[in-house]
Amino acid sequence: MIFKAKGIYIFLDPFDRADSGVSSYTTLAATRLARLGITSKTIKLNQDETITEFRERAANLVSQIKERILCVEAPESLASSSKIPESIPIHIRLHCSRSLGAAIQGLPYSNSDVAIEQTELNRAKYLSAPSWAAYFASLSLFNIQIAPLLYPNPSPDFQPRKTTKPEYDILFVGRLQFLKGLHYLE
């Protein structure tokens, strides 16, 4: 997606946690947009608010923005974009929703959460995923009508260190959850 027009790109982060892939992605993506000369704003979940309150607050904040809104990007998980007006282009990024994560692991999940996430997937003008694997996994729970734009998650700037002896033979990134590949570490 390349935006030539002036305006602002909005990210919704319904987690705002240091251990959240969505939060990490949002921070890195905003940095990349800034390098391209695109202004962005991230609306993050407050510690004391519910997802319902976040959806309402995000929609209210978006409605107060005076600049042209290029797009509002949100994860499919928690359907944080559900109160954003239809007139604003929505970009849904497949991050492996909580519902999908539960389904993959054989854990219970809410059909009503899946339904509202499905609604957001259906109304999205743009859909993206970090890989075909993420897309195909999402198809196991969601009826996705458009093929996503595929682009990997941005990586942080890497500053190589000079060492004479490597400190690690293996570097494993992720939370200690089966879904994140813990069985490979074992």
Side-chain angles (χ1 to χ4, degrees), residues 1 9 25 73 91 93 128-131 149-154:
M1 228 179 313
Y9 194 98
Y25 163 83
E73 180 176 334
H91 170 184
R93 174 82 168 166
S128 69
S131 65
L149 302 168
L150 294 177
Y151 56 93
N153 291 334

Side-chain angles (χ1 to χ4, degrees), residues 8-54:
I8 187 166
Y9 194 98
I10 309 292
F11 290 98
L12 300 183
D13 179 358
F15 300 104
D16 192 26
R17 291 192 342 242
D19 66 343
S20 165
V22 170
S23 297
S24 296
Y25 163 83
T26 299
T27 299
L28 293 170
T31 300
R32 294 294 190 258
L33 288 180
R35 286 186 188 158
L36 295 172
I38 299 171
T39 302
S40 69
K41 175 180 178 55
T42 302
I43 301 172
K44 301 177 181 183
L45 178 77
N46 289 330
Q47 292 179 352
D48 62 341
E49 73 185 337
T50 66
I51 188 60
T52 302
E53 292 167 336
F54 175 73

Side-chain angles (χ1 to χ4, degrees), residues 33-165:
L33 288 180
R35 286 186 188 158
L36 295 172
I38 299 171
T39 302
S40 69
K41 175 180 178 55
T42 302
I43 301 172
K44 301 177 181 183
L45 178 77
N46 289 330
Q47 292 179 352
D48 62 341
E49 73 185 337
T50 66
I51 188 60
T52 302
E53 292 167 336
F54 175 73
R55 290 173 185 146
E56 292 289 340
R57 184 172 62 82
N60 189 25
L61 289 172
V62 166
S63 71
Q64 293 174 16
I65 292 173
K66 302 298 182 208
E67 298 169 75
R68 178 175 176 260
I69 297 174
L70 300 171
C71 193
V72 172
E73 180 176 334
E76 80 280 36
S77 194
L78 304 176
S80 58
S81 58
S82 64
K83 299 293 182 182
I84 302 297
E86 296 280 336
S87 60
I88 296 173
I90 302 290
H91 170 184
I92 299 295
R93 174 82 168 166
L94 299 174
H95 281 279
C96 185
S97 79
R98 288 183 171 185
S99 303
L100 178 59
I104 289 170
Q105 296 177 87
L107 300 173
Y109 57 88
S110 164
N111 286 328
S112 63
D113 287 348
V114 172
I116 194 168
E117 291 168 355
Q118 179 67 63
T119 298
E120 290 310 286
L121 286 165
N122 288 344
R123 80 177 189 123
K125 180 173 183 175
Y126 306 106
L127 179 68
S128 69
S131 65
W132 281 114
Y135 169 64
F136 289 126
S138 296
L139 287 175
S140 69
L141 190 61
F142 298 109
N143 180 15
I144 299 174
Q145 301 297 314
I146 59 174
L149 302 168
L150 294 177
Y151 56 93
N153 291 334
S155 59
D157 292 334
F158 178 71
Q159 301 297 328
R161 296 182 303 169
K162 293 186 181 207
T163 60
T164 56
K165 185 175 168 184

